Amino acid sequence: MAGTSIMETLFQRDLDDLIKGIRQQQIKESLFISKAIEEIRREIKSTDLPTKSAALRKLSYLSSLHGADMSFAAFHAVEVMSSPQFFYKKIGYHAVTQSFNDDTPVILLITNQLRKDLNSSNQFEVSLALECLSRIGNVDLARDLTPEVFTLLSSNAVRVCFKRLVENLESSEPVILSAVVGVFCELCLKDPRSYLPLAPEFYKILVDSKNNWLLIKVLKIFAKLATLEPRLAKRVVEPICEFMRRTEAKSLLFECIRTVLSSLSEYESAVKLAVVKVREFLVDDDPNLKYLGLQALSIIAPKHLWAVLENKDFVIKSLSDGDYNIKLESLRLLMSMVSESNVAEISRVLINYALKSDPEFCNQILGSILSTCCRNLYEVIVDFDWYASLLGEMVRIPHCQKGEEIEHQIIDIAMRVKDVRPALVHVCRNLLIDPALLGNPFLHRILSAAAWVSGEYVEFSRNPFELMEALLQPRTNLLLPSIRAVYVQSVFKVLIFCAHSYLLHKENISSVNTDNLASEVPESVFARMSCENSDLATSEAPASSEQHDSFNPRNINQSFGDLSIENGGDATVSNSQASTSASLGRNSFTHESIVNLFNIVELALGPLSRSHDVEIQERARNVLGFTDLIEQEILNPVVQGEENLARAETEASRVVKLMCDAFSEELGPVSTSAQDRVPVPDGLLLKENLADLETICGDIQLPLSSSFSLSSTPLGEAVDISRTNLQSKDETEPSHESTSLLAEHRKRHGLYYLASEKSEGASNDYPPANDPMSQDKLNDDAEDLLKLTEQSLAPKKKPNQAKPRPVVLKLDGDEISVAAKKPELKDDLLSGVVQDVLLGNDGVPSSSRSNRSENLSGKSKGKEKLSTDLSLETKENVPGEKMPDHVNTSSRRSKHRSHGKERRQKGQGKDGEEKEDNGQKEKRKSNHHRGKHKAHQRADEPLNVVAQTPVIPDFLL
Amino acid sequence: MIHFVLLISRQGKVRLTKWYSPYTQKERSKVIRELSGVILTRGPKLCNFVEWRGYKVVYKRYASLYFCMCIDQEDNELEILEIIHHYVEILDRYFGSVCELDLIFNFHKAYYILDEILIAGELQESSKKTVARLIAAQDSLVETAKEQASSISNIIAQATK
């Protein structure tokens, strides 16, 4: 046995050999390491300490630098750690520190070892144990070892526990001071309020200390404290300014600047000085300082925008810096500068910049423009026409990959802002008509939004024929099926719009010139008609008034009349008739142009009706079915007799009008919470067993199936009814066999179908814009919307605008981010305790100190002294409980700190109980609950209301 | 506070890792991979800070080694740069113009020195002299322990022969 261990010792590879081996790389590194680990696994089991420790050291090397797993050696690490010899102990501690975490099972084994080492006479062993504890300490270890740490700390120069810690703030020794300040700095980040009473000590350090490390920490503390206590801020602002003026150290200077900008921003002179210093940073050659300068500016931006505006040149210049971080920071700053007045200018600069920059940053720019502009429902945007064109421009930037955001915003503003629709439709037309854009898959989603907008708001289109061509151009086959379906649906809408306008014309013509026979020379009629445009407009006014308000193309046409000529010029020429007629007079839906339109649609959608994608197929078939229906009746009037014509036309126009009405239903944005506001109808029991409903369901299905069969009857009298029926339903494809099958299926599994009535009323054309909801809900919501828009308009009066800002619809579901929420104070385990100590500090220093030390250093000692501390305890606790913004110290304490509970219970308990307690320590546990209750009761008692804020001595303030 | 300290060579080899916040082994290697990708590719004239997963990584290059420290958003970057420099100076003093090889072969010593400077992610000792003195004292302790150990093992070896 001994022999093998000696052999191992002699021939073991030590760390140097291992490192050399890895570096020589005769075999592959990973292979070498796995071999080495195998070796270590064997060696580490050795009983010989040198072998074991060498193996452990090798393992910790491999673990820290090559990511080897060393959890298997946890126990061995503990063994080595417990060696009495410092050399091995050190290796063991290093391994433990490196590898242990809360999940390591053997962590429980080291408690005693740590305790022993913490009590060791060798200071280096103590430091090893402390270092280790600082790294791996968990709740158990902390509970068990805190007394040792405290005795340790109170035994020599540094005496700790909070009371002592506080005393050490006055220590003359820099090391101790910096350690203590470090502790408080870390604590302050978690819960600054508890440490307010220590402000005088910190202030003293701030004024006296010459140590920059220390000052930085103290400044960090003050940055936290000053926001809580304005009087304190007033006090520290002068010394901090003094530092800013005279310090050489950039790190201290930066900390001062940051403190002033973040916490002392009310002090004009300090901020001004800080901004001057920031400017020095910005012009410095060191990229670090430049970056930090920009960062400092972004801290101050929300409160003092002038500071940023003053340095605008630098900010814009650093957009072209070589460093991505600096670029990003300056972009953020630029975005924070955005306001109503300069949004156009800044966006212009940025868009130009985006054109030149690399793809990643380009998209970063676009993304931040988009997110800034849409903030709080497009708060900064006054001129939505401009914004629409900006969106159009963004799409044209070659690197643009922000399809999703732009898509969303196009649809969003189209729905929310009525006034922008004409401009937006124009922008969308330009996008749709460009075949090049179809080649970029990132833009497809934008195109889908554009297609939806131009279909939904086709009445604003200057030239629907051109739009139709754009929607049907051959390159659309590059689109995804889902997007193509949107295209087809838009085609449908445009088609209906054209047909409707055409019929409207005809009607009016026949009403104006009754003796003119339209069927004989339609061209001449339409030529005349276009001359009589103005006449028509007036004569049509009553006719169109029964239509939806916005559905009055003529008025719009007139306003755009001057544009129509140039418009006709750049239109695609393939449909010469359409474009010529467009140039003749915007509004001439001549017979030919309509025929041509129908031809194009049929030609383009024919192949799609056999598409494999159901959505496209279905929609294409819908359109084709419609054209079939209309074409025969209205487009071939010459063939039919005159009386026939009149009759057929009225019928066709009825069909078209119904369809039109279906589509002209205004789609508004719907709040996500809208569903909740629909009242549950009387007699609807949602939780009842649904099995009973089967018979009722059967009844409901019957009329449904009949409506399906209706729709498939040959065109006749009933056609328009069935059409509308069909339209308002899901526009499903009529087919006899399948419907009957479906009906049967419904009958059998009726329960699994949604009640069909629900989908009525909501025209189902574009999923993202439209929630399936019942009619009454729509009305309900519309009212809400109306109310909300009124509300949103009222407070926002912007007097200095040449052009009034259009209405932006708001929903209560929309989140409008106001200022950042007040950070909730964390329920901190420590803070309650700490507060007690620090508050008690000024009143009764000596006894409360002893009190504290007991409380922290364990229960056992505390118990005996309880009775003496009684009065004190109550005194201390009372104010804490009644402070409103003081996060109820007592309840927190009673929850988290078991001994705190005991003590309180005792505090209020009467004398007899104390004696009992002193005697029976075993009964403690059963008393816990009672203690808790009492603590709460006490908090409710009105007796001891002494409102009190943390005590800060007046000499400071 | 400092969440971790990394020393990475220009070739992307890791020379030292110290974690002050809990990371699993898997996370550790991921962090190292991610950061060395970010930091090693940055040009020489750029700033020394990288924003990363809501933290900031401050790095500085000395010869072929990158010293990286990960800190919270609100920490002072310049202070960390100074801590890095502080560490490097102490290493330099200890090894006598330190080079990468010193750190490779004395990796444990690099750790011990770091432990003297930082504790639980905070600066512990800002005096170079004190650190040097403490390290020297520990070294002598180790030496005596070693001698003892070797003599003991020699005795055992003798005895078993």
Side-chain angles (χ1 to χ4, degrees), chain A residues 2-3 6 9 15-16 19-20 23 25 29 48 50 57 60-61 63-70 85-88 90-91 94 97-101 122-124 127-128 130-131 134-135 175 178-179 182 186 189 211 213 216-217 220 224 249-252 254-255 258 281 286-289 291-292 295 321-326 328-329 332, chain B residues 1 7 13-25 28-29 32 42 44-51 56 72-83 86 100-101 103-108 111-112 115-116 118-126 130 133-135 137-139 141-142 145-146 148-150 152-153 156-157 160:
Chain A
I6 286 160
T9 318
L15 184 62
D16 277 3
I19 295 167
K20 275 179 196 148
R23 287 171 61 77
Q25 282 181 340
E29 194 181 279
D48 181 40
R57 176 179 268 187
S60 38
Y61 175 81
S63 150
S64 74
L65 301 194
H66 298 278
D69 178 43
M70 64 180 295
Q85 273 159 325
F86 187 70
F87 175 60
Y88 302 122
K90 206 170 175 185
I91 293 171
H94 182 231
T97 313
Q98 188 88 3
S99 67
F100 275 28
N101 56 38
N122 183 340
Q123 57 160 326
F124 294 106
S127 76
L128 276 181
L130 272 179
E131 173 80 33
S134 80
R135 173 63 194 81
V175 185
S178 86
E186 206 66 19
L189 288 181
N211 182 344
W213 302 101
I216 289 175
K217 297 267 182 230
K220 272 192 197 303
K224 293 279 171 207
K250 291 278 190 250
S251 54
L252 179 61
F254 179 63
E255 198 57 51
R258 187 149 59 180
F281 274 22
D286 187 349
N288 291 340
L289 295 184
Y291 173 77
L292 292 177
Q295 222 173 35
D321 199 280
D323 193 333
Y324 185 71
N325 285 343
I326 292 182
L328 210 58
E329 201 62 43
R332 275 181 213 157
Chain B
M1 69 174 273
L7 261 65
K13 295 254 187 245
V14 186
R15 296 303 180 210
L16 180 143
T17 60
K18 180 88 187 174
W19 308 87
Y20 295 104
S21 297
Y23 288 86
T24 64
Q25 196 68 45
R28 287 179 185 186
S29 29
I32 293 171
R42 284 175 65 83
K45 286 202 175 154
L46 307 184
C47 69
N48 295 75
F49 319 121
V50 180
E51 283 180 42
K56 274 189 236 158
D72 287 321
Q73 279 291 348
E74 63 264 27
D75 278 326
N76 189 327
E77 294 90 341
L78 294 174
E79 185 196 8
I80 301 299
L81 273 182
E82 278 167 27
I83 291 178
H86 184 61
E100 202 181 331
L101 280 178
L103 297 186
I104 293 170
F105 285 104
N106 296 299
F107 94 107
H108 50 287
Y111 272 110
Y112 298 148
D115 287 348
E116 288 299 328
L118 298 178
I119 186 165
E122 293 284 346
L123 183 77
Q124 177 183 207
E125 179 56 74
S126 57
T130 316
R133 183 166 49 76
L134 292 173
I135 290 287
Q138 287 188 45
D139 277 352
L141 252 176
V142 166
K146 230 178 180 173
Q148 266 179 20
S150 56
I152 290 169
S153 70
I156 297 168
T160 47

Side-chain angles (χ1 to χ4, degrees), chain A residues 99-113:
Chain A
S99 67
F100 275 28
N101 56 38
D102 289 353
D103 300 328
T104 310
V106 294
I107 200 161
L108 296 171
L109 298 179
I110 66 173
T111 314
N112 268 323
Q113 185 58 40

Side-chain angles (χ1 to χ4, degrees), chain A residues 200-216:
Chain A
E201 279 84 357
F202 293 135
Y203 181 77
K204 206 158 151 263
I205 296 171
L206 183 72
V207 178
D208 295 344
S209 175
K210 296 279 178 292
N211 182 344
N212 285 346
W213 302 101
L214 200 59
L215 286 173
I216 289 175

